[in-house]
Amino acid sequence: MMTTNTQRILDLTAAAPARDGEDLLLLLREANELYQKGFEGLRDMVAARFSGLSIGELVAAVSDAGLPCDVSQDRAELLLLLALAEWEMTPAAMAYSEMAEDAARRGVSLIPEE
């Protein structure tokens, strides 16, 4: 049986509380890679879905999604915002965010502290 990216992120999230230090960082890196792949795929789908809309219509769609934007933003930015609004509501994104927040509270982050 093939595991989806979402299922793997959920599995990593479930395993994370029992890990610390370098082991937790390895889980976080794998989950981050899957998160990025998932977001990239969704971004492509959103771009295709909204390809026929004008800038004004995209601004309205982004505003309807509850994100701030304006007509000075280019098409790519508006599509990115729409994809992000949709992605953040997926089980994969919510699980990854929870995992990353928990890891950060325990001193583990993908962003090095200076």
Side-chain angles (χ1 to χ4, degrees), residues 42-53 58 79 82-83 86:
L42 181 69
R43 187 181 62 204
D44 292 344
M45 288 190 308
V46 166
R49 189 178 337 134
F50 290 96
S51 65
L53 297 185
L58 285 173
L79 290 170
L82 282 169
E86 190 171 324

Side-chain angles (χ1 to χ4, degrees), residues 19-93:
R19 306 286 176 84
D20 57 17
E22 192 63 31
D23 288 339
L24 179 55
L25 185 59
L26 289 172
L27 292 181
L28 194 56
R29 281 186 182 135
E30 182 180 348
N32 181 60
E33 184 178 316
L34 295 169
Y35 176 98
Q36 297 302 326
K37 285 179 184 178
F39 177 67
E40 186 176 309
L42 181 69
R43 187 181 62 204
D44 292 344
M45 288 190 308
V46 166
R49 189 178 337 134
F50 290 96
S51 65
L53 297 185
S54 69
I55 294 292
E57 291 169 321
L58 285 173
V59 167
V62 172
S63 293
D64 289 347
L67 297 172
C69 65
D70 61 62
V71 293
S72 70
Q73 291 177 287
D74 68 22
R75 175 175 218 78
E77 289 175 307
L78 295 168
L79 290 170
L80 183 66
L81 289 170
L82 282 169
L84 187 59
E86 190 171 324
W87 176 247
E88 287 181 340
M89 300 308 295
T90 66

